[in-house]
Amino acid sequence: MSKQEHVKPTNFIHQIIESDIADEKVAGGQVVTRFPPEPNGYLHIGHAKSICLNFGTAAKYQGLCNLRFDDTNPEKESQEYIDAIAEDVRWLGFKWDGDIRYTSDYFEQLYQWALYLIANGKAYVDSLSAHEMREFRGNLTEPGKNSPYRERSVAENLELFERMRNGEFDEGDCALRVKIDMAAPNMNLRDPVIYRIRKAHHHQTGDKWCIYPSYDFAHGQSDALEGVTHSICTLEFEDHRPLYDWFIANLPVPAQPRQYEFARLNLNYTITSKRKLKLLVDEQHVSGWDDPRMPTISGLRRRGFTPASIRNFCDMIGVTRSNGVVDMGMLESAVRDDLDANAPRAMCVTRPLKVTVSNFAEGEEEWFELPAHPKDESMGLRKVSFGRNLLIEQEDFEEEKPRKWKRLAPGDAVRLRGAYVITCNEVIKDAAGNLVELICSYDPATKGENPTGYKPNGVIHWVNADHSVPCEVRLYDRLFTEANPEADKAVDFQTHLNPGSLEILTDSRVEIGLKHAVAEAHYQFERLGYFSVDKDSDESRLVLNRTVTLRDSWVKIQGK
Ligand code: ATP
Ligand code: MG
C-alpha cells in the first residue's frame, strides 16, 4: 500500500456544500455542478481533477452535473476536441445530465442581456483600438482613464451594437464594454469588454454570429441559466469572481450560482496546459494527443491507466486552495494498486536470449497451468507451453555472476517460473564473441518439486521460442528531464524534453495466451511491470505499452 493512502485527503468544497445543505441554502434543494471545458485541445490529468470533483460532488449529494463546452473562442475550437473531451469524460466513468450543452446555446440570451445592460446605461460601445484600450486601462498601481466614448447615449449604443451584430464593422473597430469603474483596484472591473467582433465561423452556430461574448460575460450567466448551484473552478478565476457577481447582480438571471475556487493540479516532470501540449503535438515531439507519454487523459488511457486509477488518484490528492506540485510517483502508485488487483499475469521476454534444453525432445511440447492471478483464483488458470527451444531475458544471465546473483550463470541452476529447474551447461558465442545461446538441461523431477542435492539461484521468466507471440514492446520514461520544465521562463520548456522517453523493442515475445489479446487489455508481465495492448496492434503485430514498472523506479531516479 502506498504511503499517500494513509493520509485522509481533504475536500473543502464538500464541507461548504454540507453546510449549504444544512442551512437550506441550495437553490431547489438539489446540488448542480458542471464541467466547463473549452474545446481547444484534449483534456489532461489536471482536468481529471476538475471532472472528478464536479461529477463526484454531484453524485455524492444526489445532484446533477452538466457537461458544457465553453465555446466562445471559435477560431481555436473544433469538433474533434469536442468529441475527444466527451469520450474522455465518459471513459472516466461519468455521466452528464441530459445532452451535451454549449455556451453557444445561450448566445441569443446573452445578446439580449447585453442589450439589457445597454438599455440600463451599464454598457457602451467603445471605439478605441485594442492598443488604446490597453493604454487607458492603467495598471496595478495606476488607475485607468475613462474612454472618450464612455458617455455615448443609450440610443447610440443600441444602434452601434446592432450594427456590430449585423457585420457593419470590421474586427477591432469597436467592442461592447460594461461600465463599472476604471479606477477599480481589481483590474477585471475596469470596464471589461463583453463583446468583440470576430468574423469567424463557429463549429456550432456556423455563420450566424460575427460578434462573440467574452468568456467572462458568458461563463457565470451560463451557470445561472443551467441552475448551477456551485460553480467550481480553479484559483486563477478568483479575481474574476467580483465581475461574475456584478453580472449576476445587474442582470435578470434566473438563478444565483456561487463560485468556489480550488488549486489546480500540477504534476512534476510534465506540463498541464492545453496550449503547451498542443505545441508538442503540432511540432511532432509526440505522435499525437494520445501519445502514451502525454499527460492527457487519452494518452494515459493508451499508456494503460485505468479510469479507476485516475479517479483514485484524484481522491488521494484531495481538494484544497493551496497550490502545490504532486509527484508523478503518486499517479503511478494509483495505477499499480488497481492493476495489481485486476491485471492477469503473463510472461514476456523483452530482450530474448536463446536457451536450448538439450535433454528435452525436439518437436515435443509440454503444457503447464499457472494461475492467471496469484491472489485471485476467480481469474482461473492460464496455459503456457514448454519445449526444447526457449527464450529468457538477456539480463537474467551473467557469465561472471556478481555476488548473491539470483538468476542464471554457467554451471548454475535456476527455476523457470511455473515449470522446471534448468542448469546452464554451455555458453555459445558467435565469431565476434557475442553471446548467442545457452545450452541447458532440465531436471524432470522438479515439476512442482524442489530439486534434490542442489539449489536453484532463483526464479526467472521465460517463453517457448516455438510457441509464443512475437510482439513489439514500447517502454516509456518521463517526458521531461526537469521536475518543473516551466521553471525558467527564459528557456523554452521544450528544451527539457527527455530524448530517451520512448524505447521500442521489436524482438520481444509473450506467452501464447496473448495471441488474441485485444486493445487496451491490461497484463502484469512477471518481474517487468504492467503493460497494456496498444491500438496499433493488429493480426500481424502485437504492440504492448509499459504502463509502469512493478515498483517505483522514480524514487530511485530522483534520489540518485
Ligand atoms: P489549460 O490551461 O490546460 O488550457 P484551461 O483552464 O484553460 O486549462 P478549460 O478547458 O477551461 O481549460 O478547463 C475546464 C475546467 O478544468 C476548468 O474549470 C478549469 O478550471 C479546470 N482545470 C483546468 N486545468 C486544471 C488543472 N490543472 N487542475 C485542476 N483543474 C483544472
Ligand atoms: Mg480556460
Side-chain angles (χ1 to χ4, degrees), residues 329-383:
M330 207 158 156
L331 179 59
E332 297 195 342
S333 109
V335 75
R336 242 179 237 120
D337 285 350
D338 185 23
L339 294 177
D340 179 39
N342 298 307
R345 274 39 174 180
M347 288 190 285
C348 174
V349 173
T350 52
R351 297 175 181 87
L353 171 61
K354 192 169 174 215
V355 169
T356 301
V357 185
S358 54
N359 57 339
F360 196 91
E362 184 78 64
E364 292 282 301
E365 183 176 32
E366 181 173 352
W367 290 90
F368 286 86
E369 286 197 323
L370 274 67
H373 193 289
K375 286 171 279 184
D376 185 351
E377 273 183 31
S378 72
M379 292 173 80
L381 297 170
R382 62 187 221 262
K383 286 186 160 177

Side-chain angles (χ1 to χ4, degrees), residues 285 293 475-480 497-503:
H285 294 295
R293 292 166 292 180
L475 303 174
Y476 301 100
D477 196 356
R478 50 200 181 184
L479 188 51
F480 291 94
L497 278 164
N498 176 6
S501 59
L502 169 63
E503 183 180 4

Side-chain angles (χ1 to χ4, degrees), residues 35-38 44 46-47 50 234 262 264-265 272-274:
F35 174 62
E38 258 177 273
H44 51 64
H47 294 110
S50 176
T234 35
F262 70 100
R264 291 175 81 87
L265 165 66
T272 45
S273 149
K274 273 185 286 184

Side-chain angles (χ1 to χ4, degrees), residues 32 34 66 68 101-113 217-229 231 248 251-257:
V32 181
R34 83 286 177 266
N66 298 342
R68 180 179 74 238
R101 296 155 208 252
Y102 299 88
T103 296
S104 55
D105 295 342
Y106 315 130
F107 278 176
E108 184 59 39
Q109 176 64 78
L110 292 167
Y111 177 75
Q112 293 301 327
W113 279 337
F217 186 61
H219 195 66
Q221 280 80 278
S222 300
D223 282 348
L225 285 166
E226 293 181 3
V228 170
T229 55
S231 303
I248 296 297
L251 287 169
V253 290
Q256 319 274 315

Side-chain angles (χ1 to χ4, degrees), residues 471-499:
C471 60
E472 175 177 319
V473 167
R474 298 179 182 168
L475 303 174
Y476 301 100
D477 196 356
R478 50 200 181 184
L479 188 51
F480 291 94
T481 52
E482 294 290 317
N484 180 0
E486 299 164 295
D488 186 350
K489 300 285 172 231
V491 179
D492 182 353
F493 74 99
Q494 295 182 86
T495 57
H496 301 305
L497 278 164
N498 176 6

Side-chain angles (χ1 to χ4, degrees), residues 63 98 101 147 202 214 223 406 417 441 486 515:
R101 296 155 208 252
S147 161
H202 189 286
S214 66
D223 282 348
K406 285 280 173 220
R417 160 78 75 204
S441 54
E486 299 164 295
K515 188 156 190 188

